[in-house]
Amino acid sequence: MKLIDKYILRQFLITFVYVVFIFISIIVVIDIIEKLEDFHNMPATVEMIITQYYLNFIPYIANTISPIMVFIATVFVTSRMANRTEIVAILSSGVSYVRFLRPYLIGSSILAVITFYLINWVIPDANKVRVDFENTYIKSRYYFDQRNVHIQVAPEVYAYMESYDNIYNIGYRFTLERIQDGRLMEKLEAPRIVWDSTKNKWHIDRYMLRKINGMKEELSFHDGVDTTLNLSPEDFQSKHLFNEKLTLPELNEYIALLKLRGSENVQMYLIEKYLRFTYPFAMIILTVIGVLVSSRKSRRGVGAQIALGFVLAFIYILFFILSRAIANAGNMPAMLAVWLPNLVFAVIGLFIYRVTPK
């Protein structure tokens, strides 16, 4: 790596960290002001607020804004170099424009790899602590109020509860049915089912079991029994930001579980999965566009180019929000909708590169 590469890479990474730090500081201050009354009224200590909430809130916010911040950092560094005529000197020395882009690509690729690891493993674990803190101390207590709940717990096996108390983890009017080729083969009925946290099992109260074999039916009554089901109390707890609490392996497992159950919510988790792959590529694409729009010296100075960077970043955010809404609505395949902003901005970047004087 040549000296000029190290210079650009160092300036790019330092500026990125600086910009992220500034924006995070602003966001944290705003969040503290917004939640000040909640913090004052809650039983949590200052230490708990800092360690359980803000130390996990900061990486979450840093990851959320990182694609835009890398774009702004790129525009700031490149426009400053352009106004100092450093870029003219670099290109006049025989360095091609593509070669000039190399340190930016190296820097954005480093950030992309780090982001991919953080967003799929580190931040979900941090979100578990942060979201649980929010649910416990900030948000109102969640009560599961759905009725007549049907869940597929295994191939050909379906569970039903008339209602569920998520405070005491008790399901009422519980049935478990095994259906083959559209025919009911077995049916278990119990007045209630209770989660035993010491055994990590469900306890089914006195139950009736029906076994059907053609025209014959066998009916039997049994005492309570402990059993395991592909079902847990978490299925009935608040799903507030639940998708952001799952690591990539956990997210894949949960998607498979939702598909087994035929759940309608699987689209939301597929979107979350695809988004985690688009973020790293967005950082690289936005970095290249940032260089292209700010590498020429402007008579209006660095401020105008930085302002242009903010405008383009704002457009990207709007496009990103719109594509996510389209994906959630199911009007377009989730993968295509999520990748659409990156694809469009990649085309925009290619067009700008074609028309930019080399």
Side-chain angles (χ1 to χ4, degrees), residues 273-316:
K273 176 182 176 179
Y274 298 146
L275 281 174
R276 296 186 184 187
F277 287 88
T278 63
Y279 259 64
F281 286 97
M283 299 181 76
I284 298 174
I285 294 170
L286 291 174
T287 297
V288 174
I289 293 178
V291 176
L292 293 173
V293 300
S294 57
S295 60
R296 296 297 169 183
K297 189 172 183 177
S298 173
R299 294 179 180 178
R300 290 172 292 181
V302 178
Q305 290 174 305
I306 294 176
L308 175 62
F310 273 101
V311 170
L312 289 174
F314 181 71
I315 293 173
Y316 179 83

Side-chain angles (χ1 to χ4, degrees), residues 324-351:
R324 187 163 188 171
I326 293 173
N328 282 319
N331 297 327
M332 186 183 295
M335 181 177 290
L336 176 60
V338 168
W339 276 93
L340 193 58
N342 283 357
L343 295 175
V344 171
F345 269 71
V347 172
I348 292 173
L350 182 60
F351 173 78

